[in-house]
Amino acid sequence: MSSSDAGTGAMQAYLGRLRRLTSHVAVDDASEQADAIVAAGSSLAALDEVSLDAVTRWVRSRPADVYALGLTVGLSQEKLKNLLRVAFGTTSWVKAATRDPQALVEWLDDELGLLAALEAQRHRVYTFGDVLAARGTSRQTASRAGVAGKLIEDAVEQIVRDLGLPYEMRGRFVGRNGDTGPADLAVPGFEDALIAVACKGFDSTGSKLTAAVTEVMDMANVSFAHQYVLAVVDGIGWLSRQGDFRRMHALLESHRIDGLYALADLDAFRADLHAAAVRHGLLEGALPDVAAQVAPGEPVVARAETPDAQLHLDL
């Protein structure tokens, strides 16, 4: 078997271990956010009139519900925050509404036609087709995009804590020539990183997966030979972006990163992290309970050494 065939086989085996990270939620399932939006919409529909004064009074009494006004004029939560930062110096609509509710309503009306939109929409009868169109063109599930990555971060952080290693979360570690690379976790910290870990999980697909691969490539490009670069990557979104995943897996095959793990491989990640920490003098002794653990995927092998570099894993 050629090395390319072996690499392809290992990658396909890895893809076979990917799992869904976020549960399916029906669009009509109840949630606190949905309930709050429904309540805000009902309150707006009940206004006797749509005017600057009436909406200002509404905002003054319900500052947390200003997000519903953003939805009225087609703003996602993120877009509303970005616009508020420019206009009011804060991303919090609660703060903006508390400081000057009338100025907030005037801004929404002047810039985005809030009052006309409210008047046109609040008593309109919507068909099932309208509902489907709104769902299909909205970003209503975007808030779940960070859930998958956070699940992986939490699992990795728990392993690091269980091992008793010092660490920092989410930053840029210092590598060759003072260059920095992104990392979701660094041991013992970003300024003096000996181990840098990427945590990338996606159930949906899109350009964010390409960006995640670019981050891992940046980690590989700036790291010293004595710095271990490990990546925990999962989620069914990668099944639709296998070209991107192949570029990341190639980093492992060429030994430019030291480990690539699905959530099913966390025992192997724990063992390799422990071995790296022992070689750097951060830990001593064998890994309790899983000292003989064998990685189910690609083993961690040594990258090319520089004369003054410390040893890399060669399990």
Side-chain angles (χ1 to χ4, degrees), residues 222-294:
V222 307
S223 63
F224 283 110
H226 73 276
Q227 290 175 315
Y228 296 97
V229 175
L230 309 175
V232 181
V233 178
D234 211 319
I236 60 174
W238 296 102
L239 297 176
S240 299
R241 303 285 289 206
Q242 293 191 28
D244 282 326
F245 187 84
R246 186 174 293 108
R247 289 193 298 133
M248 184 160 50
H249 198 271
L251 297 173
L252 178 67
E253 294 171 343
S254 61
H255 310 314
R256 295 183 60 206
I257 63 175
D258 302 287
L260 184 62
Y261 316 84
L263 286 176
D265 308 332
L266 283 182
D267 282 346
F269 171 77
R270 181 192 300 269
D272 291 346
L273 179 63
H274 179 272
V278 168
R279 297 202 179 204
H280 275 303
L282 298 173
L283 295 174
E284 295 181 357
L287 178 65
D289 298 328
V290 290
Q293 179 71 41
V294 177

Side-chain angles (χ1 to χ4, degrees), residues 36-37 39-47 49 51-70 72 97 101 104-105 108 114 118:
I37 293 172
S42 297
S43 178
L44 287 167
L47 290 176
E49 63 172 355
S51 66
L52 175 61
D53 288 342
V55 177
T56 296
R57 288 194 298 272
W58 185 89
V59 168
R60 185 178 291 112
S61 65
R62 306 176 68 112
D65 290 334
V66 168
Y67 174 41
L69 298 182
T72 300
L104 177 59
V105 175
L108 283 168
L114 172 65
L118 268 177

Side-chain angles (χ1 to χ4, degrees), residues 52-136:
L52 175 61
D53 288 342
V55 177
T56 296
R57 288 194 298 272
W58 185 89
V59 168
R60 185 178 291 112
S61 65
R62 306 176 68 112
D65 290 334
V66 168
Y67 174 41
L69 298 182
L71 293 175
T72 300
V73 292
L75 295 180
S76 68
Q77 180 172 305
E78 198 61 34
K79 286 182 179 179
L80 177 59
K81 287 182 176 180
N82 289 338
L83 290 175
L84 287 172
R85 180 187 289 112
V86 175
F88 295 93
T90 178
T91 60
S92 169
W93 53 79
V94 174
K95 288 183 179 180
T98 302
R99 289 173 184 168
D100 195 337
Q102 182 170 327
L104 177 59
V105 175
E106 288 177 342
W107 171 74
L108 283 168
D109 190 46
D110 292 342
E111 297 294 326
L112 301 161
L114 172 65
L115 299 184
L118 268 177
E119 187 63 51
Q121 295 174 31
R122 68 190 186 121
H123 294 306
R124 178 181 167 185
V125 176
Y126 292 90
T127 67
F128 183 50
D130 293 328
V131 174
L132 293 180
R135 291 172 180 168

Side-chain angles (χ1 to χ4, degrees), residues 177-238:
N177 303 318
D179 292 337
T180 65
D184 295 299
L185 183 146
V187 176
F190 290 105
E191 288 295 325
D192 53 352
L194 298 173
I195 304 166
V197 184
C199 304
K200 305 300 176 188
F202 301 99
D203 276 347
S204 58
T205 188
S207 59
K208 56 188 175 296
L209 282 80
T210 303
V213 174
T214 299
E215 285 191 21
V216 177
M217 294 181 72
D218 288 345
M219 294 172 71
N221 289 336
V222 307
S223 63
F224 283 110
H226 73 276
Q227 290 175 315
Y228 296 97
V229 175
L230 309 175
V232 181
V233 178
D234 211 319
I236 60 174
W238 296 102

